[in-house]
Amino acid sequence: MLHELLLALLGFTGDLIVDEREQRKTLGLAFNSDSPLSDECTFKLAPDISFIEPSERDLIERLIKLGFYYRELDRFAKKSRNLSWIKSVTSVHPLERADELSKQNREKKPSVYRRAIANGIGEIISVYRSAVLHIEQKLLAETTPILATVTQGLNKFFVLFPPLYEVILEIERDDIRGGQLLNVLNKRCHCGVPELRTCLQRLLWHGHQVMYNQLAAWMVYGILQDPHGEFFIKRQEDGDLDHRSSQEEISEKLARTSVYETSLTDWHSGFHISLDMLPDYIPMRLSESILFAGKAIRVLRNPSPAFQFQKDKSFQQTMRGSQRIQGFMHSDFPETESELDADLTAGELLPQSEADKIEAMLKELKESSEFHKRSFECTVDSVRAIAASHLWQLVVVRADLNGHLKALKDYFLLEKGDFFQCFLEESRQLMRLPPRQSTGESDLMVPFQLAATKTIAEEDKYFSRVSLRMPSFGVTVRSSQADMARPKVSLAGKANLTSDTSVDGWDAIALEYSVDWPMQLFFTQEVLSKYLKVFQYLIRLKRTQMELEKSWASVMHQDHIESAQHRKDGINGSTSQQRRQGIRPMWRVREHMAFLIRNLQFYIQVDVIESQWKVLQTHIHDSQDFTELVGFHQEYLSALISQSFLDIGSVSRILDSIMKLCLQFCWNIENQESHPNTSELENIAEEFNKKSNSLYTILRSSKLAGSQRAPFLRRFLLRLNFNSFYEATARGVLNVVRQRPALPL
């Protein structure tokens, strides 16, 4: 009887102690290793046993539950540690391996975390087996064996096995894997039974070993080691791709994706945090740091092959320029430095000592018997700081971030005013006509290249990255800042320059900036689109200012010619004087327009762009963290857009209307120099006065002038209203402003 009890304690039933599930064989429900776990104990004493006392029966019933728990725990451990699916996959042809692996995943759902937990359970049940063996030896040594010996030897397992069985039952029932499994164990570790807490912490330790291995692969080598989708860092396409996709479909998709696109996608959207697999005790901030560190390591360990060549070429160009300026010629110096720089680029983006340091910190966490949140946070922050520092070194120092920022400021923010002044002058006659659908961009290339020849020095190595673009035609685009993101032009007919609905296709002029590795990490498409938005606004403003100046010069030149001709012909100059007196109010309007446009230009170029540029340069000088630089640059662009009022619809629309009215005024004056249409010019002047006073009224409101979004706005208002002219005239249009919707601040 006692021997059969000992066998039952190890999961083997017989005649006296039976398993109810084995009795179902007659019903065709045979029990095997793949059968689901039972919700209740199925080990029972045979009902036909009559020689056992009721007290002994209760004690035996209590003991054999341990045997049932042991068998279920052992079944779970063996099932979770079963690696037969690896053999079945490796024996398949490589082209069919992905489909076979996907099939195995759907059927058996292997889990590395479950296998680790199974190893921990194996440790616990091995202690239990040793205890049963020790009891057997004691029973054999005693002359009168008693049940109390068995109970006394297994007493501590009555506390351990039921909760452990509940854990594996929950895991099997809810198909818990990965980070979810760590959550379950972590919650159950908070109990008041020391022995049980020790066992659960041991299981959690085994689970953490897998997580630390995945962290080491990700944060030391930039490799996502997650064959079964259990890590909280995942590839973006994992959620988008259908797991039932065939290998041919996956291969076709990968073939369509270039290496360049893959590299960009990996950094910007290739990986994401899976909240389902993120353990609750790891804050979101830490998970984002882990995500960033791994992506940074991937970049540092996999530099673009073209980057080394570009660095060598850039260095040689810089040295040639220095030689011309400083007057020294050492033929061997550039080559030696270039070779040294190439070696550094190839092997020192992430020194091996730094990688060893990261690995040592993670190894220290891995060897700890318990998970300490504070230590984990410090390690992750340290790894992130190392990755961010080396990425900063790559982008700022090696790739010359400041040079690219200066180039974007020169061309997108019109810092090179002489170049754009020359370009607008050369293309002025071209822009008086609507752009042609087929040759609009090529027509502009001639004045663009001519302006570059006149104003751009040979040492400007970044100008070659700038290209002029005109978007596709066919759909009408209004000259509105709101539509800058999708500029198009209608060529259905000639533009009516005096109409409120007139369009100017040249407002859609765009610049493109070519960005190579690793600057794509910093200058994303979103960032370049913001630069483009500001550029299109500034180029319109500069074009308007130039037209106001050119119209005045043109009319004055024509007036001088006519006056000289009248004096030559001996004609009385009273008629000319009367004509001048008649259009003098129009010249006052032109001066008001030029005054507003000049002050707006000065405000944006000096008060906004230059001040924000100095702030950005200070941040770049003081910071050595890549993510901080990205944040500072985003703040820089946001400040440019907000302080230029491009994000306020009402102000943007008024400025757009004012620039359009200025151009209409100039074109009307020049097209009708001898006999100007006074009534039409008066209508333009009246509309301009309304718009300019509305602009002043909105800008001087407490919501804008009193806020921190535009710290230099008061200076702009002071320049506009230096003689209280706008203050006095704005009262007449106050009712017009009040009808406008509230400002979306």
Side-chain angles (χ1 to χ4, degrees), residues 303-531:
S304 170
F307 180 64
Q308 176 178 331
F309 172 77
Q310 292 169 0
K311 281 291 295 178
D312 295 346
K313 185 177 179 181
S314 174
F315 183 82
Q316 292 169 1
Q317 290 176 349
T318 304
M319 290 306 303
R320 284 196 294 267
S322 301
Q323 290 168 357
R324 286 196 301 267
I325 295 173
Q326 300 178 15
F328 65 89
M329 293 293 291
H330 298 291
S331 60
D332 57 333
F333 180 71
E335 182 178 355
T336 303
E337 288 295 323
S338 178
E339 291 174 356
L340 175 62
D341 189 75
D343 292 340
L344 289 175
T345 302
E348 296 300 328
L349 293 182
L350 181 68
Q352 186 60 39
S353 60
E354 296 285 18
D356 295 341
K357 182 179 177 181
I358 295 174
E359 191 170 9
M361 288 189 290
L362 292 174
K363 184 178 180 181
E364 184 178 354
L365 285 179
K366 186 177 179 181
E367 292 175 350
S368 177
S369 59
E370 295 184 15
F371 179 85
H372 297 285
K373 184 176 179 181
R374 181 60 182 168
S375 301
F376 184 77
E377 290 180 354
C378 292
T379 300
V380 171
D381 290 339
S382 299
V383 174
R384 183 199 171 282
I386 293 173
S389 176
H390 286 280
L391 196 59
W392 176 91
Q393 183 77 14
L394 169 65
V395 173
V396 177
V397 180
R398 297 183 186 276
D400 191 16
L401 172 64
N402 230 9
H404 288 277
L405 288 173
K406 185 64 170 62
L408 288 169
K409 181 170 179 276
D410 286 343
Y411 299 107
F412 281 78
L413 304 183
L414 274 58
E415 176 76 7
K416 286 188 177 295
D418 56 341
F419 167 74
F420 287 101
Q421 181 72 22
C422 184
F423 166 67
L424 290 175
E425 288 179 354
E426 296 291 344
S427 60
R428 183 168 180 253
Q429 294 303 321
L430 175 64
M431 292 187 181
R432 301 300 291 270
L433 301 174
R436 290 182 290 183
Q437 182 175 7
S438 57
T439 62
E441 184 174 312
S442 58
D443 291 341
L444 274 182
M445 289 305 298
V446 176
F448 188 79
Q449 293 295 338
L450 188 59
T453 303
K454 291 181 178 181
T455 60
I456 302 299
E458 294 181 0
E459 289 77 12
D460 190 346
K461 60 182 180 180
Y462 294 102
F463 178 72
S464 60
R465 297 178 177 273
V466 180
S467 56
L468 188 69
R469 291 288 180 265
M470 282 290 291
S472 58
F473 301 113
V475 181
T476 301
V477 61
R478 296 180 178 84
S479 299
S480 170
Q481 298 298 323
D483 295 326
M484 279 187 179
R486 45 184 186 281
K488 300 174 185 176
V489 171
S490 173
L491 298 179
K494 292 184 179 179
N496 181 7
L497 300 177
T498 61
S499 172
D500 290 339
T501 60
S502 64
V503 296
D504 187 359
W506 301 111
D507 289 343
I509 292 176
L511 288 184
E512 284 186 2
Y513 190 77
S514 175
V515 182
D516 299 323
W517 190 95
M519 298 312 298
Q520 304 116 334
L521 312 180
F522 195 87
F523 296 113
T524 63
Q525 288 300 319
E526 179 185 1
V527 167
L528 293 178
S529 66
K530 290 181 179 179
Y531 273 107

Side-chain angles (χ1 to χ4, degrees), residues 44-85:
K44 303 291 182 182
L45 270 174
D48 55 349
I49 297 178
S50 58
F51 57 86
I52 298 178
E53 297 294 330
S55 60
E56 292 178 337
R57 177 180 288 273
D58 294 339
L59 186 57
I60 293 174
E61 291 279 3
R62 181 167 177 261
L63 283 171
I64 60 178
K65 286 183 179 180
L66 293 179
F68 169 76
Y69 292 142
Y70 167 82
R71 190 189 68 176
E72 297 301 302
L73 290 171
D74 187 53
R75 281 181 54 216
F76 173 82
K78 290 179 179 178
K79 181 179 178 182
S80 300
R81 288 186 290 186
N82 181 18
L83 301 179
S84 60
W85 59 274

